Amino acid sequence: MEAFRVLIVDDIKSNLMVMAKCLQGLCEVIKAHNGRDCLELARTHPQPDLILLDVRMPDMDGHAVCKELKASPETESIPVIFVTGNDSEEDEEQGLLLGAIDYITKPIRPVIVRARVSVHMQLKQQRDKLRFMALHDQLTGLFNRYFLTENAEVRLAHFRRHKTPLSVVLMDIDKFKSINDTYGHEMGDLVLVAVAELLENNTRREDVVARLGGEEFVILMECPLDAAMVKVEKLRQQMEQLMPKGLMVTGSFGVVDACAEVMELNPLLKRADECVYQAKEQGRNQVVGWRTKPAALQEVTYKGN
C-alpha cells in the first residue's frame, strides 16, 4: 500500500517545518511555499491525499487556491484543511463553503494537528475503498460495467470534439461454461482472474480494461481499428500461452471503431458482440473487426490454430 501523502502549503518556512514535524512518522509530507506551487503539486502524480492549506498567503491566498482545486475534476476530490490564525465564524464558513473539510487554527498545537490529520486520513482511506468497490469488479479487480459506461461517455465526447481515434474491443472466453462444468467454479474463477491480469498487464495506461460480466471483457483503446486489430491479435496469442493450472484458454475477440454515425457505447458493444459471434462461428480463438462505416461490415480476421 502506498504511503499517505500530505501536502503542506505555507509561505513561511518555519511554519512548514513545524507542521512537517507534527506529522513525522504518520505520513509522507510534501511542501509548497505558495498557491501556484500547491496547484502544480496537486496535479502531479502521485497526487497528495490531503492538503493542509494556509489561508493568508501573498499573491494567491488559500481561499483562491481551494476554489481552483475544487473547480478542476483532476483535483476536486483531494480533501483540504485550512490552517489559519483567523478563527472567526465568518472566515470558517467561507472556507467550508469553498469545499474545505476542516479548520486548524494557529498557533499550531502538534497534538491537534496530528489528531485531525489522522482522522481525515482514515476517512479518506474509507472513501477510497468504497469508491474502488463501486467502480471495480470484486473478483478480478478490473473496472466494472458502471465505470465502463461512465468512462465511455467521456471518451466518446472527446472523440466528437477532437476526432481522436477510439476502438472498442469485446472478448468472450471460449467454452467457459464447459470449464466451469468440467473443473468447477473455483477453476473458472482462477481463469477469469488470470485472463484479467493478462489484459491489464498488456494494455497501455490510457486504455480502459473492464469486466462486462460473466466471461466477457471490454477494452477501450485510443487508436484506429487497424492498430487495435494488431494489438488485440497479440493479446489473443498471449492468451493461448497463458495456461492457468495447465489448462489452455482461448478467447474470441470483436473489434469496432467509433465514428460519427455511432456515438454511444451500447451500439458499439452490439456490433462488437456480432463480431464475437462471427469469430465463434468460424471456429473460435480469433479476432474479427468491424469498421463502422454506413451499412458496412468490413471484416478483418486473425485466426488462431
Side-chain angles (χ1 to χ4, degrees):
M1 185 176 178
E2 293 183 358
F4 195 92
R5 293 166 58 85
V6 175
L7 170 59
I8 304 174
V9 189
D10 199 304
D11 61 305
I12 299 175
K13 187 175 180 180
S14 60
N15 288 343
L16 287 174
M17 293 176 64
V18 170
M19 294 285 283
K21 188 173 182 180
C22 292
L23 302 177
Q24 190 172 2
L26 181 65
C27 56
E28 179 184 345
V29 173
I30 49 179
K31 304 170 188 174
H33 294 86
N34 55 64
R36 292 298 173 194
D37 287 349
C38 169
L39 293 172
E40 183 177 349
L41 287 169
R43 299 186 185 107
T44 302
H45 290 273
Q47 292 177 286
D49 296 293
L50 178 68
I51 298 176
L52 299 181
L53 180 58
D54 185 38
V55 174
R56 307 294 179 193
M57 293 187 294
D59 301 325
M60 189 179 195
D61 68 16
H63 289 155
V65 174
C66 186
K67 187 175 181 180
E68 192 160 333
L69 286 168
K70 298 305 173 183
S72 170
E74 190 178 6
T75 55
E76 64 178 348
S77 64
I78 304 174
V80 174
I81 298 177
F82 277 129
V83 182
T84 178
N86 189 344
D87 60 355
S88 69
E89 290 185 3
E90 293 79 9
D91 193 61
E92 185 172 346
E93 180 185 19
Q94 182 183 2
L96 295 174
L97 288 173
L98 286 171
I101 58 168
D102 206 346
Y103 252 78
I104 294 175
T105 56
K106 296 178 180 179
I108 296 302
R109 290 170 292 173
V111 173
I112 298 300
V113 172
R114 195 174 179 88
R116 292 282 179 86
V117 170
S118 181
V119 166
H120 288 294
M121 280 175 60
Q122 294 176 40
L123 291 173
K124 172 75 163 50
Q125 289 165 344
Q126 290 169 2
R127 286 195 301 270
D128 289 348
K129 183 177 180 180
L130 289 172
R131 178 174 172 79
F132 183 91
M133 292 171 64
L135 300 179
H136 291 76
D137 174 60
Q138 185 176 0
L139 175 65
T140 64
L142 295 180
F143 290 117
N144 59 20
R145 186 167 192 149
Y146 174 78
F147 178 88
L148 175 69
T149 301
E150 296 292 311
N151 186 270
E153 288 184 7
V154 174
R155 298 288 181 105
L156 289 169
H158 188 268
F159 172 86
R160 278 193 293 269
R161 289 194 304 269
H162 305 288
K163 303 302 180 191
T164 53
L166 178 67
S167 294
V168 177
V169 182
L170 178 64
M171 188 276 288
D172 187 279
I173 299 175
D174 294 329
K175 298 182 179 180
F176 185 71
K177 184 178 183 301
S178 177
I179 293 174
N180 277 331
D181 291 344
T182 304
Y183 302 99
H185 288 277
E186 185 176 347
M187 183 63 185
D189 287 350
L190 187 147
V191 167
L192 290 170
V193 171
V195 170
E197 290 177 352
L198 171 73
L199 297 179
E200 187 170 38
N201 293 337
N202 292 279
T203 49
R204 300 170 302 173
R205 183 176 179 179
E206 59 267 31
D207 296 333
V208 172
V209 185
R211 184 184 176 196
L212 194 62
E215 66 271 29
E216 290 186 314
F217 297 83
V218 173
I219 310 172
L220 302 182
M221 290 185 172
E222 292 189 358
C223 60
L225 179 68
D226 293 340
M229 290 289 292
V230 173
K231 294 173 184 290
V232 174
E233 168 58 14
K234 289 181 181 178
L235 288 174
R236 185 198 66 75
Q237 293 175 14
Q238 290 169 325
M239 194 167 166
E240 278 186 322
Q241 304 301 317
L242 193 57
M243 302 294 289
K245 294 287 187 180
L247 179 67
M248 184 172 182
V249 178
T250 64
S252 296
F253 296 78
V255 189
V256 299
D257 64 337
C259 71
E261 289 79 13
V262 184
M263 291 307 303
E264 294 181 1
L265 178 63
N266 284 339
L268 291 170
L269 286 177
K270 183 178 179 181
R271 292 187 175 183
D273 187 57
E274 292 175 26
C275 291
V276 170
Y277 178 81
Q278 186 168 336
K280 289 185 178 295
E281 286 289 295
Q282 294 172 177
R284 299 184 178 87
N285 189 25
Q286 54 191 274
V287 183
V288 174
W290 188 337
R291 201 179 304 277
T292 53
K293 302 300 182 184
L297 170 59
Q298 299 185 15
E299 180 191 331
V300 185
T301 302
Y302 292 93
K303 298 183 180 181
N305 295 325

